[in-house]
Amino acid sequence: MDDSAQIKQVFKAALLTALADGKPQVEEVKIIHGLVALHPAFGQLPDAKQLLIDTWKELKADGMDACLSRVTAGVTGREYQELAFRTCARVMAADGTTEGEEAMVLGELQEAFGFSPADVKRLLAE
């Protein structure tokens, strides 16, 4: 899978994290808007607003498990897997509360990407 397709899936993972507890909080939206600073490739996404709308529709139609499965299947490079985990962790922590659904997203990413507890600790510290 090419880099642009993977970065799109990483962005979708961040969106799913923000949507996991129902409605994105203001702080989560700010983090998502600031993703370009985290990785310049996010700035190359053609229409982030449309991607949010599409992701919301997919979530409502298919549920979180199916959406996360598609996202993790589309993030195959270790660099992008780590970026997805770090990005989702930042979105989750943005509002100062950790809801069960948001934590579940991180757990699913950890499992799908085969991250060890040491990997998770390192990624959360970055």
Side-chain angles (χ1 to χ4, degrees), residues 39-85:
H39 197 290
F42 286 123
Q44 303 302 314
L45 291 170
D47 190 352
K49 185 176 181 180
Q50 187 59 50
L51 189 55
L52 172 61
I53 293 167
D54 293 345
T55 301
W56 177 253
K57 287 178 182 177
E58 289 176 29
L59 181 59
K60 288 299 178 191
D62 302 332
M64 183 61 80
D65 290 340
C67 289
L68 278 176
S69 291
R70 283 193 296 268
V71 164
T72 57
V75 183
T76 56
R78 181 66 174 205
E79 170 191 353
Y80 292 105
Q81 291 172 343
E82 290 186 2
L83 179 63
F85 192 88

Side-chain angles (χ1 to χ4, degrees), residues 17-19 21 23-33 90-95 97 102:
T17 303
L19 295 169
D21 56 0
K23 182 181 177 194
Q25 301 300 315
V26 172
E27 297 86 357
E28 293 170 332
V29 173
K30 286 179 184 176
I31 292 290
I32 290 169
H33 282 299
R90 284 188 175 128
V91 170
M92 183 184 76
D95 61 3
T97 61
E102 292 172 328

Side-chain angles (χ1 to χ4, degrees), residues 106-115:
L106 284 185
E108 292 290 325
L109 294 177
Q110 177 184 358
E111 184 177 326
F113 298 149
F115 292 158

